Amino acid sequence: MASSIAEAHNVRVLGSGDTVVVLGHGFGTDQSVWKHLIPHLVDCYKVIVYDHMGAGTTNPDYFDFDRYSTLEGYAYDLLAILEEFGVQKCIYVGHSLSSMAGAIASIFRPDLFHKLIMLSASPRFLNTGEINAIQFSSSFNFDRFLNTGDYFGGFEQEDINELCGAMETNYKSWVSGFAPLVVGGDMDSVAVQEFSRTLFSMRPDIALSMFRMIFTFDLRHFLERVTVPCHIIQSSKDLAVPVAVAEYIHQNLGGKSIVEVVPTEGHLPQLSSPELTIPVLVRHIQHDIVDGDH
């Protein structure tokens, strides 16, 4: 095992300031996904960035398949990092997987979090009910699903099975198809190339294990136990997370929350559209939710 949590997760502490901002990345990326945001924070904040276990930048020997078979393993890692660096309260910015890991960590230790900023978050990627039989269009009214037993996560189980099968068969080929779909661009785009690079750096069996865990979890029942303020930021067009999911999170959290839909495409807008996404993230870091926000 690594000599410390800091070494295992490649933790870096940047900038200075009384307020601590912690940045957690999503599946298939590493801390480099925050490269456009960090320069806007280091003058005013102490910034902590880390790689979650399983990222290509971490030692694959440290990846415990049992520990990381649920999202709680990532939540406990985050709490361990905060403890090691003596963080008493932070603003936590989590992307995708890490946004939900942060939410779970905040249930265990709400005192450690001033607020959560959740980018491209989803408590469940699979649809429930009869949603798959419906033809979706831009004019479709998602609202009625927010108050029924049906839930629109964006994927059917068959979709996930197909993706997992493709990962097992030929990981390199899977990355080449998956990265452009998720980022929202072609293979020539810098963001797609960057996401492909970090996906390729993962060990395929670890990537498959993480992918299965993420695309089969159901954290909807946790939301009401999240009491720290949550800022939900979502791309207007995200293959992995429909806008309806951001609204679902907003309506089911146990504390204050606010949603902002950014006119960007893709699941990694901080990488593919930084000129639109970074100012929004900075604004939500700087400003708390006030009564009357929604």
Side-chain angles (χ1 to χ4, degrees), residues 64-85:
D64 182 327
F65 284 88
D66 287 333
R67 178 182 176 87
Y68 301 111
S69 64
T70 69
L71 212 55
E72 280 92 331
Y74 296 94
Y76 286 128
D77 286 352
L78 169 59
L79 294 175
I81 290 167
L82 296 181
E83 182 179 356
E84 177 146 323
F85 285 86

Side-chain angles (χ1 to χ4, degrees), residues 134-289:
I134 295 165
Q135 291 297 310
F136 286 102
S137 69
S138 57
S139 60
F140 182 77
N141 179 13
F142 292 113
D143 291 344
R144 75 180 186 88
F145 284 106
L146 298 174
N147 300 309
T148 70
D150 292 330
Y151 169 83
F152 180 56
F155 292 86
E156 289 298 320
Q157 185 61 56
E158 302 80 62
D159 302 330
I160 305 307
N161 295 344
E162 199 174 301
L163 286 165
C164 288
M167 288 178 85
E168 288 181 293
T169 304
N170 187 329
Y171 184 69
K172 188 172 183 180
S173 174
W174 174 82
V175 169
S176 298
F178 184 72
L181 279 174
V182 171
V183 175
D186 56 34
M187 282 304 283
D188 294 332
S189 86
V190 173
V192 171
Q193 289 177 359
E194 181 70 9
F195 187 42
S196 299
R197 178 187 67 78
T198 52
L199 276 170
F200 278 134
S201 71
M202 295 179 73
R203 211 172 75 186
D205 59 330
I206 291 174
L208 178 61
S209 177
M210 289 183 66
F211 187 87
R212 279 202 175 116
M213 180 274 291
I214 293 164
F215 280 91
T216 54
F217 68 45
D218 188 349
L219 303 173
R220 292 177 296 169
H221 58 291
F222 278 110
L223 295 177
E224 65 180 10
R225 296 168 58 194
V226 178
T227 56
V228 302
C230 292
H231 300 238
I232 304 154
I233 300 169
Q234 174 63 40
S235 282
S236 57
K237 188 179 179 186
D238 180 348
L239 178 85
V241 183
V243 172
V245 171
E247 189 59 34
Y248 179 92
I249 296 172
H250 177 48
Q251 292 197 10
N252 287 278
L253 286 165
K256 286 183 179 179
S257 62
I258 187 170
V259 176
E260 182 160 352
V261 178
V262 187
T264 52
E265 181 175 348
H267 191 60
L268 292 87
Q270 73 274 45
L271 204 58
S272 59
S273 302
E275 69 287 350
L276 292 173
T277 308
I278 300 307
V280 173
L281 288 171
V282 170
R283 177 159 41 82
H284 282 274
I285 290 167
Q286 291 175 340
H287 301 290
D288 293 343
I289 299 171

Side-chain angles (χ1 to χ4, degrees), residues 13-36:
V13 181
L14 309 164
S16 59
D18 296 331
T19 303
V20 178
V21 177
V22 181
L23 306 177
H25 65 86
F27 167 75
T29 62
D30 56 41
Q31 61 184 262
S32 67
V33 80
W34 299 115
K35 63 185 178 183
H36 298 298

